[in-house]
Amino acid sequence: MLVNGWIGLPFEVGSGVRQGCPLSPLLYAFVIDPFIRRLESGPLCGVPLGIPGEPPLRVVAYADDVSVFISRTQEVEEVVSVMEQYAEASGSKINQDKSEVFWMGEEGKGFTLPDAFPEPQQEIKVLGIRFGSGDYGLANWVSRLQDADTKVASWKDWKLSYRERIDLNKTYLIPVFLYVSFVCVPVSLYARIYSCFFQLLWGHKLNLIKRSVTYLPRRMGGLGMVNLVVFLSLMFLKHNFGSMLAEEPPGWVGIFQSWFRPFLRRWENGGPVKSLRVQHGKLPAYVAPCLKMLR
């Protein structure tokens, strides 16, 4: 073992898996499963999903990224007890430096947390997406746009053909936004998204041809450019509304359906789409933009 420039004595590895071994996540799923089942079968109230026959959302896990929903002091004590039992049985412990607490709801802080929990924060990050009490979609996209602007600033002075610049857009710039587009697409930032992509295409110049022409295939006189806003909006609609059509949709789809089903039912019955008006103040931040994308 090489640590800080010092080489230790050799030893034989008798168990374990290599870094990146495809067996590793499967084995971890077996190991974490008793912990998840114990929390789900406990006295946690969870968050009701509004789906008949569907249990409330108590715990969500993606590999070792576990989110637990608690609403009472007694539930806090239960979670701490389960964590201590699991640590004693498995040798696995919570990394406090990577743990986060976030109060949900408009009322804010609800009860006192023991020392086993870190201090509550204004926002948390779950699987790379930042969630807060305000417009979290806007916060996530502003961060991604800053990353994209940094990349564009380092690329746009390169001496590249238009085809090479479009390939840069498709290969390296779209992935910056792709993951967050599954969760939210803020309409208020469409202009900045367009600007980021066309700055890379034209460099420091003004648009040499209409943007609608750049989207056309090369055989039709265009450049084969991707309309990023349309592309990312379709990714969002496919991921979220497509899940509503699945035979066994995941639990979160119930929350999504509860907001959109009245509008979708009207459209399915042949109701006018363009005349539909949405009162933004009575809906979550992501609902009105979704309906606008559908229209």
Side-chain angles (χ1 to χ4, degrees):
M1 186 71 69
L2 178 64
V3 180
N4 294 334
W6 297 89
I7 300 178
L9 298 175
F11 61 92
E12 181 179 352
V13 178
S15 63
V17 293
R18 293 178 180 272
Q19 181 74 22
C21 175
L23 185 61
S24 180
L26 180 61
L27 291 175
Y28 190 83
F30 282 123
V31 172
I32 198 69
D33 186 67
F35 177 69
I36 304 301
R37 288 178 181 270
R38 180 66 180 84
L39 288 174
E40 288 182 335
S41 62
L44 303 185
C45 293
V47 178
L49 298 178
I51 310 174
E54 185 77 17
L57 189 65
R58 297 185 177 94
V59 57
V60 178
Y62 185 85
D64 62 344
D65 196 324
V66 180
S67 300
V68 183
F69 300 88
I70 54 179
S71 56
R72 299 177 302 174
T73 304
Q74 296 84 347
E75 295 180 3
V76 177
E77 297 171 353
E78 173 69 15
V79 171
V80 172
S81 175
V82 173
M83 290 193 315
E84 292 175 348
Q85 293 174 18
Y86 181 75
E88 183 178 356
S90 66
S92 178
K93 295 184 178 180
I94 300 294
N95 188 336
Q96 291 285 355
D97 295 334
K98 293 184 178 180
S99 299
E100 297 176 320
V101 170
F102 174 70
W103 290 110
M104 298 175 61
E106 298 179 354
E107 62 275 6
K109 182 178 178 180
F111 44 83
T112 303
L113 294 171
D115 294 336
F117 289 79
E119 287 293 322
Q121 304 177 18
Q122 295 297 318
E123 66 175 26
I124 59 173
K125 182 180 287 188
V126 181
L127 299 179
I129 303 295
R130 294 159 55 194
F131 293 92
S133 56
D135 189 350
Y136 62 84
L138 187 65
N140 280 284
W141 271 87
V142 167
S143 175
R144 295 303 195 282
L145 280 166
Q146 291 172 348
D147 294 340
D149 288 341
T150 301
K151 292 180 181 291
V152 170
S154 64
W155 292 341
K156 64 182 181 181
D157 291 329
W158 291 2
K159 295 181 179 180
L160 302 172
S161 67
Y162 291 134
R163 176 173 294 187
E164 289 171 330
R165 289 178 181 274
I166 288 175
D167 288 341
L168 269 181
N169 266 324
K170 294 179 178 179
T171 308
Y172 293 103
L173 207 52
I174 285 180
V176 175
F177 305 104
L178 191 58
Y179 181 61
V180 72
S181 70
F182 288 165
V183 180
C184 49
V185 181
V187 178
S188 61
L189 294 178
Y190 281 176
R192 280 194 61 186
I193 297 172
Y194 279 126
S195 174
C196 178
F197 269 62
F198 280 96
Q199 277 188 37
L200 177 57
L201 177 61
W202 302 123
H204 293 288
K205 305 175 184 178
L206 297 175
N207 292 354
L208 300 182
I209 58 177
K210 290 183 178 181
R211 291 181 178 181
S212 58
V213 176
T214 65
Y215 302 140
L216 296 175
R218 293 188 177 94
R219 68 178 183 276
M220 298 177 63
L223 296 176
M225 180 75 165
V226 174
N227 187 323
L228 183 69
V229 169
V230 173
F231 176 78
L232 295 178
S233 298
L234 290 174
M235 293 300 296
F236 177 88
L237 295 175
K238 177 183 177 182
H239 177 72
N240 292 281
F241 287 91
S243 298
M244 292 171 62
L245 304 176
E247 293 184 2
E248 297 182 2
W252 62 265
V253 172
I255 302 175
F256 202 78
Q257 281 181 324
S258 66
W259 289 109
F260 287 99
R261 180 51 61 189
F263 303 102
L264 297 178
R265 187 178 296 114
R266 178 178 175 180
W267 293 347
E268 290 169 353
N269 294 332
V273 175
K274 291 186 178 180
S275 64
L276 182 63
R277 293 294 179 264
V278 181
Q279 297 181 359
H280 291 239
K282 297 182 179 180
L283 295 173
Y286 64 88
V287 174
C290 289
L291 294 173
K292 185 175 182 179
M293 279 190 284
L294 283 176
R295 285 201 297 269

